[in-house]
Amino acid sequence: MNKIPESLFYTEDHEWISVENNVATIGITDFAQSSLGDIVFVELPDTGTNLDSGNSFGVVESIKSVSDLYTPLSGEVIEKNEEIEGTPEHINGDAYGSWLIKIKLSDESELSTLMKASEYKAFCEGN
Amino acid sequence: MSHLKTSLYEEHVSLGARMLPFAGFDMPIQYENLKKEVEAVRNNVGVFDVSHMGEFLITGSDALKAIDHLVTNDIKNSEMKKAIYSPLCRANGTVIDDLIVYKISDTKIFVCVNASNIEKDFSWFEKNLKNFDVKLENHSSDYSLLAVQGPKTFETLKKTSLLKNLDDIEYYSVQVLNDDKIMTLAARTGYTGEDGFEIFASHSDIKILWKELLELGVEPCGLGSRDVLRLEVCYPLYGHELNDELTPLDSGLKWTVKLKKENFIGKEVLSSYKPKFKLVKLVLEKGIPRQDYPIENSNGEVVGKITSGTMSVVLSKGVALGLIKEECKDDTFNIDIRGKKYEAIVTKKPFVSGGHK
């Protein structure tokens, strides 16, 4: 069974989000890493990049596949996890400890579009 | 739309394989872990259900003459019981398919073709064998096919009930285990670069063999790992390195076109053909090349494109085959990956040297 921590928010694209003081931290869920298999490459945007919700902000690649990463929230990328670009396999080991980017939110009302853990759990089971 | 199922479909589903449609069949792409599958084949032994592939039989007094008329490689002068890889070409030299011919006897030729090309190939065979004294049969739905691959294949197969009489035959040769109407064949061939056998048999025999192999600890492997394995040893794949628009001479297959052969379809054109493309092997220190990514020279001009690319499990680097303009002499290129340029170095040898004898 894939882990879905209570404290986080989720998207239909299988990303997790934590929010603190107007800054959202984004990663991919345990479900996502396990469907992708061995993650071998991660490409993330440079800090300072402005994203609109729905934009692709990078990719994760397994041996055989390329998957786009989409931001559910608008704002400026204030930090990217450079360490994970060097060790993408850590996402397989600890999806929720492997954040990808931090965004300074420009529209906090978008947070209402995110799913709670219970909703995401139902979403995964429905798939 | 419902897809065809191989005789092992239920087995794949019960093992939790990820199933995807391929060439009209629901095929296992991956079981538990792709990397584990690749490593099992390189170091131990793995089994692939490749029953989707097509099988034709040509029998009769003209069987040898007929197959030599169709394919570019030389079957007549190959030894008996040999497996011979060959393109199948049109009169204009373009490739209809690549296939393996099994020379069972002077009057019996068995052919294995790509799943996606079964109908195209069979109608081409029918059309072009009218003037030969042969009987042509499509047995694709009568056969199941397992590829058992890896250094421990032979010793493992000897422990199974179907293959206890298997001989230690040469690489790229075939043993007839049962000469019934639906022959049981063990060919020392494969698509991984490792030692291994491909077993053509009835659905019921293959179901038993599959079960025994899994009980012997053989790793079930899907089409995903099969593609990584073949690309690591630089074997071409129809629809990628080969297609309806290219000749074998554009795709690095000059060695399979025997222009000294008396006659074959495509000979006239191929005899004077000047290749437009050449196939290159590329290694990237960073970035993973994928099909259709542009290949650029140092001036930023697009000179070709990636035909197959992956992360190599053995090398942990991006590797690719690509077709570039024939006149291109460079030994480094840049691959355009989502707008960023990644350096790719041309290598002469396959990325991984398989262990086959």
Side-chain angles (χ1 to χ4, degrees):
Chain A
M1 191 58 212
N2 296 299
K3 283 175 281 186
I4 303 177
E6 285 296 325
S7 57
L8 302 172
F9 295 100
Y10 299 90
T11 73
E12 292 189 359
D13 296 318
H14 302 284
E15 285 150 337
W16 60 262
I17 295 103
S18 71
V19 185
E20 205 176 331
N21 302 329
N22 198 37
V23 172
T25 302
I26 304 180
I28 67 168
T29 66
D30 199 34
F31 179 96
Q33 72 74 21
S34 106
S35 339
L36 285 165
D38 292 299
I39 294 170
V40 292
F41 190 78
V42 177
E43 190 173 273
L44 300 172
D46 292 329
T47 53
T49 305
N50 279 300
L51 297 170
D52 287 329
S53 65
N55 283 171
S56 162
F57 70 82
V59 297
V60 281
E61 299 195 36
S62 66
I63 293 168
K64 291 290 299 166
S65 71
V66 184
S67 306
D68 277 301
L69 295 161
Y70 296 100
T71 173
L73 305 166
S74 306
E76 182 192 339
V77 178
I78 56 165
E79 212 180 331
K80 67 167 170 171
N81 189 348
E82 287 178 18
E83 211 179 298
I84 212 74
E85 286 185 307
T87 54
E89 67 277 11
H90 285 180
I91 300 172
N92 291 117
D94 182 9
Y96 298 107
S98 305
W99 64 278
L100 300 175
I101 56 168
K102 295 187 182 191
I103 296 178
K104 191 177 172 194
L105 300 178
S106 59
D107 182 0
E108 286 192 47
S109 73
E110 288 171 348
L111 291 171
S112 65
T113 64
L114 303 177
M115 286 186 273
K116 294 192 187 77
S118 58
E119 292 167 312
Y120 178 61
K121 186 166 179 273
F123 175 75
C124 287
E125 282 164 2
N127 267 354
Chain B
M1 192 186 127
S2 77
H3 299 282
L4 299 169
K5 293 174 167 55
T6 74
S7 61
L8 297 170
Y9 175 83
E10 301 297 337
E11 306 296 325
H12 304 317
V13 171
S14 72
L15 286 168
R18 189 176 307 163
M19 306 296 290
L20 278 178
F22 182 82
F25 284 81
D26 254 331
M27 296 301 289
I29 298 304
Q30 183 182 323
Y31 297 84
E32 192 190 328
N33 183 287
L34 187 141
K35 214 166 159 177
K36 193 175 152 204
E37 295 174 21
V38 170
E39 284 163 355
V41 170
R42 291 269 177 252
N43 306 316
N44 201 346
V45 53
V47 59
F48 304 81
D49 176 16
V50 283
S51 303
H52 59 315
M53 297 194 72
E55 293 85 10
F56 303 161
L57 186 67
I58 304 172
T59 49
S61 56
D62 277 350
L64 258 186
K65 233 193 261 174
I67 192 68
D68 257 328
H69 172 66
L70 290 174
V71 304
T72 63
N73 211 333
D74 188 345
I75 312 302
K76 192 177 88 183
N77 291 310
S78 298
E79 282 172 50
M80 206 54 77
K81 298 289 190 300
K82 271 285 171 194
I84 305 113
Y85 170 81
S86 182
L88 174 73
C89 290
R90 298 181 184 82
N92 69 3
T94 57
V95 181
I96 299 166
D97 198 5
D98 64 335
L99 46 78
I100 295 181
V101 175
Y102 299 89
K103 190 172 174 179
I104 309 294
S105 76
D106 283 336
T107 55
K108 198 182 238 185
I109 298 292
F110 188 85
V111 184
C112 181
V113 305
N114 278 303
S116 47
N117 292 333
I118 294 174
E119 278 158 41
K120 179 174 75 167
D121 292 0
F122 194 74
S123 61
W124 181 261
F125 273 47
E126 271 185 321
K127 193 174 119 192
N128 289 285
L129 294 185
K130 279 187 184 133
N131 298 326
F132 292 86
D133 183 16
V134 290
K135 187 169 144 199
L136 171 69
E137 294 163 88
N138 182 354
H139 284 301
S140 301
S141 57
D142 300 320
Y143 275 103
S144 282
L145 171 58
L146 290 187
V148 188
Q149 303 279 296
K152 302 213 170 121
T153 298
F154 183 67
E155 59 185 81
T156 307
L157 288 178
K158 289 290 281 181
K159 293 177 190 157
T160 66
S161 45
L162 186 69
L163 298 156
K164 52 181 184 290
N165 296 324
L166 183 66
D167 294 330
D168 194 1
I169 55 174
E170 273 176 43
Y171 191 60
Y172 261 75
S173 60
V174 60
Q175 181 182 354
V176 180
L177 290 155
N178 180 331
D179 204 11
D180 288 349
K181 187 162 180 293
I182 300 302
M183 289 184 290
T184 306
L185 300 177
R188 205 158 202 168
T189 51
Y191 202 39
T192 63
E194 298 304 326
D195 188 17
F197 281 81
E198 291 179 300
I199 314 297
F200 299 86
S202 68
H203 304 307
S204 53
D205 280 351
I206 289 290
K207 277 185 183 175
I208 296 167
L209 178 61
W210 172 270
K211 225 177 194 155
E212 288 182 3
L213 289 171
L214 261 55
E215 279 163 11
L216 288 164
V218 177
E219 184 80 24
C221 300
L223 295 185
S225 56
R226 190 169 184 253
D227 194 52
V228 172
L229 286 155
R230 71 95 190 166
L231 191 46
E232 284 186 334
V233 293
C234 299
Y235 290 175
L237 173 61
Y238 194 86
H240 293 251
E241 288 70 40
L242 303 165
N243 64 45
D244 283 315
E245 268 102 56
L246 298 168
T247 78
L249 306 180
D250 294 304
S251 305
L253 290 177
K254 194 175 171 193
W255 66 276
T256 64
V257 181
K258 299 294 159 64
L259 294 171
K260 285 185 184 148
K261 210 168 79 164
E262 202 177 323
N263 203 8
F264 60 88
I265 300 173
K267 182 180 173 182
E268 204 184 316
V269 169
L270 291 171
S271 299
S272 57
Y273 183 78
K274 231 180 133 284
K276 295 187 188 76
F277 302 99
K278 66 179 173 190
L279 193 71
V280 284
K281 307 174 180 78
L282 299 167
V283 178
L284 283 72
E285 287 301 319
K286 200 165 176 282
I288 305 171
R290 307 282 184 188
Q291 188 179 5
D292 293 333
Y293 287 177
I295 302 174
E296 297 178 1
N297 66 14
S298 53
N299 300 327
E301 293 157 354
V302 175
V303 293
K305 64 180 183 182
I306 301 293
T307 49
S308 298
T310 188
M311 172 69 108
S312 162
V313 170
V314 172
L315 301 181
S316 294
K317 285 179 191 174
V319 297
L321 295 174
L323 288 169
I324 60 168
K325 289 180 189 161
E326 215 283 323
E327 63 272 20
C328 242
K329 300 274 184 265
D330 312 28
D331 49 20
T332 60
F333 292 96
N334 287 311
I335 312 301
D336 185 329
I337 305 180
R338 294 176 293 273
K340 282 189 200 166
K341 315 290 178 198
Y342 291 83
E343 191 184 57
I345 294 167
V346 177
T347 68
K348 289 268 186 304
K349 285 188 181 161
F351 312 120
V352 172
S353 52
H356 70 72
K357 283 174 252 171

